[in-house]
Amino acid sequence: MSYEIEAILLIPLLAAILCGIAPKERFISWVSIILSAADMIITIVICGPIFLDGTTIQYSIWYVDGLSAIFLMVTSTVAFMVSMYSHGYLGFEREEKKLTMKSEKLYYLCLNLFVAAMLAVFTVSSVGIIWIIIEATTLISTFLVGFYRDEQSTEASWKYLIICSVGITLALVGISLVYASAVGVIGDESSALDWPVLVSVASQLDPVLLKTAMVMIIVGFGTKAGFAPMHTWLPDAHSQAPTPISALLSATLLNCALFSILRFYIISEIAIPGFASTLLLIFGFVSLFIAAMFILNSKDMKRMLAYSSIEHIGLISIGFGIGTSASIFAALFMVVAHSLTKPILFFCAGNILQEYKTKDMTLIRGLNKNMPFTAIMLSISTLAIVGMPPFAVFIGEFALLLSMMGAGMWFLAILMVILLIIIFAGFTLHIYPMLTGETDKKTHDPKGLIRAAPFVILTTAIVIFGLFVPESVTSGFNMVAENIFEGVI
């Protein structure tokens, strides 16, 4: 028996333990950086062939297919970037006497436990265990959201915990209904929550029970994914958490809930074609509309980025909602594009917040003169996130638009373009004055190669995904999309 999956999960757990017992401050962040880099490399080495060749790893409780591989590689990559950025970000706060060694240990301990839990979501075959791990991600990340222990962060962490727990409870009811239906078909209680088994008997599941279950599952996990109108925890949590954690919440945590929905989406589309996809299409457009309205009227930079995350989870949901192999391809590509792009924006917000001491965009001016590196990164990442070429999000949105037109959904395609134009206008309205305005404040870019490296690496990645995606990678996305479309495991 090989131990590939255990290796992916044990490295962040080891990092959490070492960070928790590190004797000196300067060791803590380096342990996290080195081990998260090792985890990213091992994850890509293991999952790359699975994604490219369409193979599957399955043993014991583990199950990793092409879909899992995409999410695993994205999560481990973003986790490495967040570890690097945290080094300088927390170092700055330590110099300003905002952090103690104890709180820094707690930060890295929770960060690495959080990463391990998120990676675990994508590696198990039982949908029941997936639910347990999703709940674990909520509990661990609650400490990170409320890390600063002031009134706002404490309120945001409680709001996050309560709303997501209610959502997860609804999802549990839905999973129980699927289990009840599966036991009647399989006759074996022990395997009735095993995802490959569920897919194999999906066509025999009770359609009435399954419809009720899917409503519960999509609303429940959708709450954690940030679907509007259940999204209300998200802007508060993202704005109050330490900025590196905001990036992690946006780029990877939402993916965990989305992945859980997709496992059941595949089962539902086999048993009751069109039901789950219609729900996702509705939630996708509601999320896109809500995000567009709030982005246009935002003042808080991190809250605006949080609504941008709701926008992109909406776009991804629309892709799965259309339900063609082309739209699923676009949705999967959007998952990667958003996860690689959004951390750059949050890292820019972190640089600005530490220098200007505010998240209010009306009070931030003169970035071009005072913080040229941050200004360049903010300009590039803003253009990327609103879907301008030559960046990865543009490819995803363009593919999504083509798939909608290909499916004959012309009205929805026009509606999506209008909402994206509103979002583009909102970002331009808020970001442009920050870059060009005048200010008396004396600010400067944070120093340090480690702090700058995530900007450069992620920017390079979104340009490569926008311009030079290798044919083998495109084939990998196509293969996973076809498997989801056809319900093949």
Side-chain angles (χ1 to χ4, degrees), residues 120 189 216 270 310 337 350 397 406 421 442 460:
E189 296 179 358
M216 296 286 186
I270 295 171
I310 296 170
E397 290 183 355
I421 290 172
K442 301 298 180 185
T460 305

Side-chain angles (χ1 to χ4, degrees), residues 278-292:
T278 302
L279 287 177
L280 288 178
L281 197 59
I282 293 169
F283 278 116
F285 270 100
V286 171
S287 301
L288 189 57
F289 175 78
I290 295 289

Side-chain angles (χ1 to χ4, degrees), residues 48-341:
I50 297 172
F51 169 67
L52 296 175
D53 303 335
T55 54
T56 300
I57 292 179
Q58 184 174 11
Y59 61 92
S60 183
I61 64 169
W62 311 118
Y63 181 86
V64 174
D65 58 6
L67 182 64
S68 313
I70 293 173
F71 285 91
L72 281 167
M73 289 189 287
V74 165
T75 303
S76 62
T77 301
V78 174
F80 175 44
M81 298 299 125
V82 167
S83 278
M84 278 201 290
Y85 185 76
S86 295
H87 173 79
Y89 189 86
L90 266 64
F92 182 93
E93 299 206 336
R94 194 191 316 126
E95 289 175 4
E96 293 207 330
K97 309 298 182 188
K98 290 183 177 177
L99 282 181
T100 63
M101 182 173 173
K102 183 180 177 183
S103 56
E104 195 166 345
K105 278 186 177 182
L106 178 66
Y107 173 90
Y108 281 106
L109 172 70
C110 291
L111 168 63
N112 286 289
L113 284 177
F114 185 36
V115 171
M118 289 192 292
L119 291 170
V121 169
F122 310 123
T123 59
V124 294
S125 63
S126 168
V127 290
I129 296 177
I130 288 177
W131 181 88
I132 293 170
I133 302 170
I134 289 275
E135 182 62 11
T137 64
T138 304
L139 295 175
I140 298 167
S141 54
T142 297
F143 288 102
L144 292 166
V145 172
F147 180 72
Y148 291 121
R149 299 184 181 180
D150 54 23
E151 184 179 348
Q152 291 85 3
S153 62
T154 302
E155 182 182 340
S157 63
W158 275 108
K159 188 175 181 181
Y160 166 60
L161 179 64
I162 293 169
I163 294 177
C164 286
S165 295
V166 170
I168 291 294
T169 304
L170 285 176
L172 179 62
V173 175
I175 293 172
S176 300
L177 293 176
V178 173
Y179 174 79
S181 179
V183 167
V185 175
I186 303 167
D188 177 11
E189 296 179 358
S190 63
S191 61
L193 287 179
D194 191 73
W195 185 75
V197 174
L198 285 172
V199 172
S200 68
V201 300
S203 60
Q204 303 171 56
L205 298 179
D206 185 311
V208 177
L209 271 182
L210 197 54
K211 282 184 179 179
T212 309
M214 283 310 299
V215 172
M216 296 286 186
I217 287 167
I218 291 178
V219 172
F221 284 129
T223 302
K224 181 133 182 170
F227 286 172
M230 300 87 72
H231 66 284
T232 52
W233 66 270
L234 197 149
D236 291 340
H238 285 204
S239 65
Q240 295 304 322
T243 302
I245 300 304
S246 304
L248 203 59
L249 292 172
S250 175
T252 58
L253 179 65
L254 305 187
N255 289 348
C256 293
L258 178 69
F259 175 83
S260 308
I261 292 173
L262 291 181
R263 284 302 195 207
F264 287 99
Y265 165 88
I266 294 169
I267 295 167
S268 175
E269 287 301 292
I270 295 171
I272 41 174
F275 184 77
S277 56
T278 302
L279 287 177
L280 288 178
L281 197 59
I282 293 169
F283 278 116
F285 270 100
V286 171
S287 301
L288 189 57
F289 175 78
I290 295 289
M293 297 301 107
F294 278 92
I295 286 173
L296 198 58
N297 295 291
S298 290
K299 287 187 177 178
D300 184 310
M301 187 177 183
K302 289 179 72 176
R303 290 182 74 87
M304 182 181 74
L305 298 182
Y307 282 108
S308 171
S309 299
I310 296 170
E311 170 212 348
H312 283 89
I313 205 72
L315 289 170
I316 293 164
S317 178
I318 289 170
F320 289 109
I322 296 167
T324 63
S325 59
S327 69
I328 294 170
F329 170 91
L332 292 171
F333 198 89
M334 283 291 294
V335 168
V336 177
H338 173 253
S339 295
L340 295 179
T341 306

